[in-house]
Amino acid sequence: MANKITGVNGPITGWLDGHTYLIGLMAYPIRHSMSPTMHNNAFAKLGLNYTYLCFEIGNDKLKGAVDAIRTLDMRGSNVSMPNKKEVIQYLDKLSPASEMCDAVNTIVNDHGVLTGYTTDGIGFVQSLKDEGIDIKGKVMTLTGAGGAATPIAVQSALDGAKEIRIFNIKDDKWAQAEKNVKTIQEKTDCQVSLTELTDQEAFKQSIAESDIYCDATSVGMKPLEDKTLVSDPSWFHEDMVVFDTVYAPRTTKLMQVAQKAGVKHVFDGIGMMIDQGAASFKLWTGKEMPTDYIREIMF
Ligand code: NAD
């Protein structure tokens, strides 16, 4: 018999009861995250008896937290900074993309066996697909080699991108950029190169020859919201895709330059963010996240 407990907005029968599956998000700091709102609304919309909670966990408590996934029989968890690499040692298996990125953002618990996945790159490729653009066969210029750019490069290569030209500054992410090139060369048929961003002629020429320019650097978001790596609209051509992974502000300087150039496909990072969540959602529940609904209520 359905119980008659009244929740904040009415009866909560069949939800948050003895059968509820728990999903976590383990990171520090993390209270600002939009993921709980996204996943809990998607569970509610589909009538799935799951709940998603944030746990403020740094590297120091990570082993205990991952053990708890098994002990409490949680269905899984998201993982964010500073735990994306650190968590790998506590898992049983990794997806091919996760292994290539040396990072995990999603854990799935199958009866005590924990598998790590990375869904940011899947989100990037899917968000292009949502707009009718297939990464297969495309030439992409990509700025960045950090937490967002690495899975974008790896997943694009795995999904058949013809060529990826990576540009980065010589900062602490340069070694990761070199590693990304090596891994993609070893594991895929995608052509890949790395050039210093100071070589502006090469950067300009690469964009001119590309189907897609993706900026996955921190330029364009706070405190660099007034900056863009491309400020001259003549560098772009109308038929290309300009993709900024930044989602706040909604219209970045880069997007403004691309719009001024008349570029037909100019995207912000919201689609990628929703689609990476949808990929994790499917791994845990086996269901498609109602992404149109999530976009409508959240953005
Ligand atoms: P990160 O710190 O791991 O990497 C930052 C990258 O930016 C590095 O490659 C670094 O070399 C480069 N960079 C930093 N300052 C620069 C400068 N002044 N000029 C040129 N390059 C510079 O950060 P991250 O987690 O990879 O995040 C990068 C961007 O991706 C952010 O804007 C973030 O909002 C966005 N992001 C979006 C999503 C999404 O789902 N849409 C997900 C994750 C991150």
Side-chain angles (χ1 to χ4, degrees), residues 198-251:
T198 46
D199 189 344
Q200 288 283 295
E201 266 312 307
F203 185 38
K204 179 182 172 181
Q205 191 182 337
S206 178
I207 291 174
E209 293 168 356
S210 290
D211 302 299
I212 301 170
Y213 169 56
C214 174
D215 186 346
T217 69
S218 339
V219 177
M221 75 171 207
K222 265 190 180 167
L224 301 173
E225 71 269 31
D226 292 330
K227 303 264 183 286
T228 169
L229 296 176
V230 181
S231 48
D232 182 347
S234 74
W235 284 29
F236 294 131
H237 53 93
E238 278 182 21
D239 293 329
M240 70 186 303
V241 172
V242 174
F243 194 118
D244 200 335
T245 56
V246 172
Y247 46 80
R250 280 302 292 275
T251 307

Side-chain angles (χ1 to χ4, degrees), residues 81 84 120 123-124 143-152 167-174 177 197 215-222 224 227 229 243-248 268-277:
M81 294 311 285
K84 284 185 166 188
D120 287 317
F124 171 75
T143 39
T150 296
I152 286 173
F167 288 78
N168 210 79
I169 55 173
K170 271 216 166 157
D171 64 353
D172 60 334
K173 293 293 188 297
W174 185 260
L197 198 52
D215 186 346
T217 69
S218 339
V219 177
M221 75 171 207
K222 265 190 180 167
L224 301 173
K227 303 264 183 286
L229 296 176
F243 194 118
D244 200 335
T245 56
V246 172
Y247 46 80
D268 61 31
I270 297 280
M272 172 177 162
M273 202 231 294
I274 296 174
D275 285 339
Q276 63 78 29

Side-chain angles (χ1 to χ4, degrees), residues 116-133:
Y117 297 84
T118 177
T119 63
D120 287 317
I122 298 173
F124 171 75
V125 170
Q126 183 60 46
S127 68
L128 286 174
K129 217 174 264 175
D130 293 343
E131 303 293 337
I133 296 150

